[in-house]
mmCIF file of all heavy atoms in Angstrom:
data_model
loop_
_atom_site.group_PDB
_atom_site.id
_atom_site.type_symbol
_atom_site.label_atom_id
_atom_site.label_comp_id
_atom_site.label_asym_id
_atom_site.label_seq_id
_atom_site.Cartn_x
_atom_site.Cartn_y
_atom_site.Cartn_z
ATOM 1 N N SER A 270 9.813 -3.257 14.702
ATOM 2 C CA SER A 270 11.046 -3.950 14.334
ATOM 3 C C SER A 270 10.669 -5.240 13.602
ATOM 4 O O SER A 270 9.544 -5.719 13.690
ATOM 5 C CB SER A 270 11.850 -4.283 15.575
ATOM 6 O OG SER A 270 11.179 -5.275 16.320
ATOM 7 N N GLY A 271 11.638 -5.792 12.885
ATOM 8 C CA GLY A 271 11.380 -6.975 12.079
ATOM 9 C C GLY A 271 10.811 -8.129 12.871
ATOM 10 O O GLY A 271 9.831 -8.758 12.462
ATOM 11 N N SER A 272 11.366 -8.402 14.029
ATOM 12 C CA SER A 272 10.914 -9.568 14.789
ATOM 13 C C SER A 272 9.531 -9.331 15.380
ATOM 14 O O SER A 272 8.701 -10.232 15.431
ATOM 15 C CB SER A 272 11.896 -9.884 15.897
ATOM 16 O OG SER A 272 11.942 -8.822 16.824
ATOM 17 N N LEU A 273 9.291 -8.110 15.823
ATOM 18 C CA LEU A 273 7.958 -7.794 16.352
ATOM 19 C C LEU A 273 6.919 -7.908 15.233
ATOM 20 O O LEU A 273 5.831 -8.454 15.432
ATOM 21 C CB LEU A 273 7.952 -6.387 16.949
ATOM 22 C CG LEU A 273 6.675 -5.954 17.679
ATOM 23 C CD1 LEU A 273 6.337 -6.921 18.796
ATOM 24 C CD2 LEU A 273 6.819 -4.543 18.235
ATOM 25 N N TYR A 274 7.278 -7.407 14.072
ATOM 26 C CA TYR A 274 6.386 -7.516 12.911
ATOM 27 C C TYR A 274 6.051 -8.979 12.652
ATOM 28 O O TYR A 274 4.898 -9.346 12.497
ATOM 29 C CB TYR A 274 7.046 -6.895 11.677
ATOM 30 C CG TYR A 274 6.133 -6.818 10.470
ATOM 31 C CD1 TYR A 274 5.566 -5.612 10.101
ATOM 32 C CD2 TYR A 274 5.841 -7.950 9.718
ATOM 33 C CE1 TYR A 274 4.715 -5.530 9.000
ATOM 34 C CE2 TYR A 274 4.995 -7.890 8.631
ATOM 35 C CZ TYR A 274 4.435 -6.680 8.269
ATOM 36 O OH TYR A 274 3.597 -6.617 7.183
ATOM 37 N N ASP A 275 7.069 -9.807 12.641
ATOM 38 C CA ASP A 275 6.850 -11.230 12.348
ATOM 39 C C ASP A 275 5.937 -11.879 13.368
ATOM 40 O O ASP A 275 5.021 -12.624 13.008
ATOM 41 C CB ASP A 275 8.195 -11.972 12.326
ATOM 42 C CG ASP A 275 8.953 -11.696 11.052
ATOM 43 O OD1 ASP A 275 8.336 -11.163 10.101
ATOM 44 O OD2 ASP A 275 10.154 -12.003 10.998
ATOM 45 N N SER A 276 6.180 -11.613 14.626
ATOM 46 C CA SER A 276 5.397 -12.319 15.627
ATOM 47 C C SER A 276 3.948 -11.832 15.616
ATOM 48 O O SER A 276 3.016 -12.618 15.762
ATOM 49 C CB SER A 276 6.048 -12.190 17.012
ATOM 50 O OG SER A 276 5.546 -11.087 17.710
ATOM 51 N N ILE A 277 3.767 -10.538 15.422
ATOM 52 C CA ILE A 277 2.404 -10.019 15.376
ATOM 53 C C ILE A 277 1.659 -10.517 14.144
ATOM 54 O O ILE A 277 0.515 -10.938 14.231
ATOM 55 C CB ILE A 277 2.425 -8.477 15.388
ATOM 56 C CG1 ILE A 277 2.883 -7.982 16.753
ATOM 57 C CG2 ILE A 277 1.048 -7.926 15.087
ATOM 58 C CD1 ILE A 277 3.166 -6.517 16.792
ATOM 59 N N SER A 278 2.320 -10.469 12.998
ATOM 60 C CA SER A 278 1.593 -10.855 11.789
ATOM 61 C C SER A 278 1.311 -12.354 11.799
ATOM 62 O O SER A 278 0.292 -12.791 11.269
ATOM 63 C CB SER A 278 2.333 -10.421 10.532
ATOM 64 O OG SER A 278 3.402 -11.266 10.255
ATOM 65 N N SER A 279 2.168 -13.135 12.410
ATOM 66 C CA SER A 279 1.870 -14.568 12.428
ATOM 67 C C SER A 279 0.703 -14.862 13.375
ATOM 68 O O SER A 279 -0.148 -15.705 13.088
ATOM 69 C CB SER A 279 3.128 -15.378 12.767
ATOM 70 O OG SER A 279 3.117 -15.814 14.086
ATOM 71 N N LYS A 280 0.624 -14.136 14.491
ATOM 72 C CA LYS A 280 -0.531 -14.283 15.389
ATOM 73 C C LYS A 280 -1.814 -13.843 14.680
ATOM 74 O O LYS A 280 -2.852 -14.508 14.779
ATOM 75 C CB LYS A 280 -0.340 -13.435 16.640
ATOM 76 C CG LYS A 280 0.686 -13.986 17.600
ATOM 77 C CD LYS A 280 0.016 -14.607 18.812
ATOM 78 C CE LYS A 280 0.998 -15.392 19.661
ATOM 79 N NZ LYS A 280 2.248 -14.659 19.941
ATOM 80 N N ALA A 281 -1.724 -12.738 13.984
ATOM 81 C CA ALA A 281 -2.904 -12.220 13.278
ATOM 82 C C ALA A 281 -3.340 -13.203 12.200
ATOM 83 O O ALA A 281 -4.535 -13.454 12.027
ATOM 84 C CB ALA A 281 -2.596 -10.858 12.669
ATOM 85 N N ARG A 282 -2.373 -13.774 11.510
ATOM 86 C CA ARG A 282 -2.727 -14.736 10.450
ATOM 87 C C ARG A 282 -3.386 -15.969 11.013
ATOM 88 O O ARG A 282 -4.343 -16.489 10.444
ATOM 89 C CB ARG A 282 -1.489 -15.119 9.642
ATOM 90 C CG ARG A 282 -1.054 -14.045 8.667
ATOM 91 C CD ARG A 282 -0.205 -14.617 7.541
ATOM 92 N NE ARG A 282 0.885 -15.439 8.035
ATOM 93 C CZ ARG A 282 2.030 -14.947 8.485
ATOM 94 N NH1 ARG A 282 2.227 -13.651 8.482
ATOM 95 N NH2 ARG A 282 2.971 -15.752 8.925
ATOM 96 N N SER A 283 -2.891 -16.443 12.162
ATOM 97 C CA SER A 283 -3.530 -17.648 12.689
ATOM 98 C C SER A 283 -4.895 -17.327 13.289
ATOM 99 O O SER A 283 -5.776 -18.175 13.327
ATOM 100 C CB SER A 283 -2.613 -18.369 13.690
ATOM 101 O OG SER A 283 -2.268 -17.526 14.738
ATOM 102 N N HIS A 284 -5.084 -16.099 13.734
ATOM 103 C CA HIS A 284 -6.399 -15.725 14.254
ATOM 104 C C HIS A 284 -7.426 -15.539 13.136
ATOM 105 O O HIS A 284 -8.536 -16.039 13.214
ATOM 106 C CB HIS A 284 -6.308 -14.443 15.080
ATOM 107 C CG HIS A 284 -7.641 -13.975 15.612
ATOM 108 N ND1 HIS A 284 -8.289 -14.618 16.642
ATOM 109 C CD2 HIS A 284 -8.449 -12.957 15.240
ATOM 110 C CE1 HIS A 284 -9.444 -14.000 16.890
ATOM 111 N NE2 HIS A 284 -9.563 -12.984 16.049
ATOM 112 N N PHE A 285 -7.040 -14.816 12.091
ATOM 113 C CA PHE A 285 -8.014 -14.477 11.049
ATOM 114 C C PHE A 285 -8.088 -15.521 9.936
ATOM 115 O O PHE A 285 -9.031 -15.515 9.145
ATOM 116 C CB PHE A 285 -7.706 -13.103 10.463
ATOM 117 C CG PHE A 285 -7.945 -11.978 11.428
ATOM 118 C CD1 PHE A 285 -6.897 -11.184 11.893
ATOM 119 C CD2 PHE A 285 -9.227 -11.717 11.914
ATOM 120 C CE1 PHE A 285 -7.115 -10.146 12.792
ATOM 121 C CE2 PHE A 285 -9.451 -10.685 12.813
ATOM 122 C CZ PHE A 285 -8.400 -9.897 13.253
#
Side-chain angles (χ1 to χ4, degrees):
Chain A
S270 69
S272 64
L273 186 57
Y274 187 104
D275 284 346
S276 92
I277 290 170
S278 77
S279 103
K280 287 255 169 48
R282 284 202 309 279
S283 58
H284 178 73
F285 291 115

